[in-house]
Amino acid sequence: MTVTADATTSPHPGTPELHPHGLPRPGRTLVMGVVNVTPDSFSDGGLSFAADAAVAHGLALLEQGADIVDVGGESTRPGATRPPVEEELRRVLPVVRELAAAGAIVSVDTMRAEVAAHALDEGARLINDVSGGLADPAMLPLMARAGTPYVLMHWRGHSAGMQANARYGDVVTDVLDELRLRIQAALEAGIPPDRLIVDPGLGFAKEPEHNWDLLGRLGEVRALGHPVLVGASRKSFLGRLLADEATGQPRPARQRDAATTAVSVLAAAQGVWCLRVHDVASTLDAVRVTARWGVETAASVRSPLG
């Protein structure tokens, strides 16, 4: 992985320059805490599947300092089966309602326009669509009408078969080209440019080396001209990197938080807008340190010794 150092590198490492309309600007990379309301999440095995447990978890993430909580009722791990829309609504809406009432900035992780519309009615302020509008043709028109920020991720198909599509020439070039097409579709649907957020889709139709290539060239993703969300937390490419040297077994998901924090620092240093993570406290510390380091880095460039 090579971190770029050209015009695509943030002039103030750790402090994003691009921000979506209507969301916080704390002078550092934001931290989005994950609330999985699913029975089969790869990272927590359904620990927050019940609504009351999910709300309690979301409130705990807020206490740790999460800027945004991202509530999802559909597992998107490789091989996952989609729930019916009625089940996704049953899982998500009570959690969104309670967290929004508690003052949280709530994002909803969904590919379905129907779920997004109901979630916005319950107080959600951001829709995080891992399909970038490809899974549901009603999504982009909905977001244009709603006028709320919208995350558009690079996507090549549903979880059940997506890894078969992990074929690229140059992965960064291909992902950027495909994201440009989705950005254009969103703009043509009427979504204002300052509401769009892009996500390179780490782990979605990506082999481990694809993820590392994208992480090393996040400045090129940022150069698309929209805030960048990165979700590397606890993903399998980290588990493979940290595999047990004796057995070759990947490190379990819940033991990948230190590696996630390291990735968070590298991403924040490249000017990403927000990091979607499971361990909020360590990531918040990491991005605060990165932003402070960035101030000194920028100052040293302005006033070199000698």
Side-chain angles (χ1 to χ4, degrees), residues 42 78 163 203 206-208 211 232-242 250-251 253 256:
F42 83 92
Q163 288 308 109
K206 313 287 190 308
E207 297 295 343
N211 297 310
S233 184
R234 297 182 178 176
K235 289 191 172 175
S236 62
F237 73 99
L238 298 176
R240 293 190 192 183
L241 178 71
L242 304 172
R251 183 171 295 182
R256 300 171 191 166

Side-chain angles (χ1 to χ4, degrees), residues 1-4 8-10 12-17 28-30 199-200 202 211-212 214-222 227-233 237 259-277 283 286-287 290-291 293:
M1 180 177 71
T2 302
V3 177
T4 56
T8 62
T9 302
S10 174
H12 301 285
T15 304
E17 295 181 295
R28 55 164 171 77
T29 296
L30 274 69
D199 181 338
L202 301 181
N211 297 310
W212 290 115
L214 285 161
L215 282 170
R217 294 166 63 183
L218 286 172
E220 294 177 50
V221 182
R222 192 172 55 82
V228 177
L229 173 68
V230 169
S233 184
F237 73 99
T260 298
T261 303
V263 169
S264 297
V265 170
L266 297 171
Q270 294 181 77
V272 305
W273 164 71
C274 186
L275 296 159
R276 183 181 183 274
V277 298
T283 304
V287 297
T290 307
W293 167 78

Side-chain angles (χ1 to χ4, degrees), residues 8 90 125 137 153 156 175 233 247 286 295 301:
T8 62
R90 186 196 67 77
R125 292 174 55 185
M153 197 191 79
R156 284 188 169 184
V175 166
S233 184
T247 66
V295 170
V301 170

Side-chain angles (χ1 to χ4, degrees), residues 187-211:
L187 295 174
E188 290 175 355
I191 299 176
D194 64 354
R195 268 63 165 186
L196 283 178
I197 300 153
V198 297
D199 181 338
L202 301 181
F204 288 79
K206 313 287 190 308
E207 297 295 343
E209 287 307 313
H210 297 145
N211 297 310

Side-chain angles (χ1 to χ4, degrees), residues 32-38 44 48 50-51 53-59 61 68-73 92 95 99 107 109 276-278:
M32 175 186 285
V34 177
V35 180
N36 289 316
V37 197
T38 58
D44 59 26
S48 300
V55 170
H57 182 55
L59 294 174
L61 295 177
I68 302 168
V69 289
D70 190 48
V71 178
V92 166
V95 181
L99 291 177
S107 165
D109 182 351
R276 183 181 183 274
V277 298
H278 300 85

Side-chain angles (χ1 to χ4, degrees), residues 23-297:
L23 294 178
R25 298 188 182 194
R28 55 164 171 77
T29 296
L30 274 69
V31 178
M32 175 186 285
V34 177
V35 180
N36 289 316
V37 197
T38 58
D40 55 351
S41 167
F42 83 92
S43 66
D44 59 26
L47 292 178
S48 300
F49 182 43
D52 56 351
V55 170
H57 182 55
L59 294 174
L61 295 177
L62 287 178
E63 184 68 22
Q64 293 172 29
D67 300 294
I68 302 168
V69 289
D70 190 48
V71 178
E74 175 179 353
S75 175
T76 51
R77 63 177 174 78
T81 301
R82 304 196 76 190
V85 64
E86 297 80 9
E87 174 63 11
E88 187 179 353
L89 286 165
R90 186 196 67 77
R91 295 174 183 179
V92 166
L93 294 187
V95 181
V96 173
R97 185 183 307 122
E98 292 297 322
L99 291 177
I105 297 174
V106 179
S107 165
V108 172
D109 182 351
T110 184
M111 293 180 271
R112 290 172 163 138
E114 182 177 350
V115 175
H118 284 289
L120 291 170
D121 288 343
E122 295 291 350
R125 292 174 55 185
L126 171 68
I127 298 299
N128 180 12
D129 179 2
V130 300
S131 81
L134 288 168
D136 186 342
M139 182 66 87
L140 296 184
L142 168 70
M143 296 311 302
R145 294 192 301 273
T148 52
Y150 174 64
V151 178
L152 181 157
M153 197 191 79
H154 177 261
W155 189 76
R156 284 188 169 184
H158 288 291
S159 298
M162 67 181 176
Q163 288 308 109
N165 298 321
R167 298 185 179 91
Y168 301 90
D170 175 78
V171 64
V172 178
T173 299
D174 292 350
V175 166
L176 292 178
D177 286 346
E178 292 169 33
L179 281 174
R180 287 188 187 97
L181 292 175
R182 300 314 303 152
I183 291 168
Q184 186 61 34
L187 295 174
E188 290 175 355
I191 299 176
D194 64 354
R195 268 63 165 186
L196 283 178
I197 300 153
V198 297
D199 181 338
L202 301 181
F204 288 79
K206 313 287 190 308
E207 297 295 343
E209 287 307 313
H210 297 145
N211 297 310
W212 290 115
D213 286 346
L214 285 161
L215 282 170
R217 294 166 63 183
L218 286 172
E220 294 177 50
V221 182
R222 192 172 55 82
L224 290 170
H226 297 279
V228 177
L229 173 68
V230 169
S233 184
R234 297 182 178 176
K235 289 191 172 175
S236 62
F237 73 99
L238 298 176
R240 293 190 192 183
L241 178 71
L242 304 172
D244 185 281
E245 293 184 2
T247 66
Q249 289 297 310
R251 183 171 295 182
R254 291 176 65 83
Q255 296 176 27
R256 300 171 191 166
D257 285 335
T260 298
T261 303
V263 169
S264 297
V265 170
L266 297 171
Q270 294 181 77
V272 305
W273 164 71
C274 186
L275 296 159
R276 183 181 183 274
V277 298
H278 300 85
D279 181 0
V280 164
S282 65
T283 304
L284 182 59
D285 286 351
V287 297
R288 291 175 67 186
V289 169
T290 307
R292 186 65 183 87
W293 167 78
V295 170
E296 296 306 315
T297 301

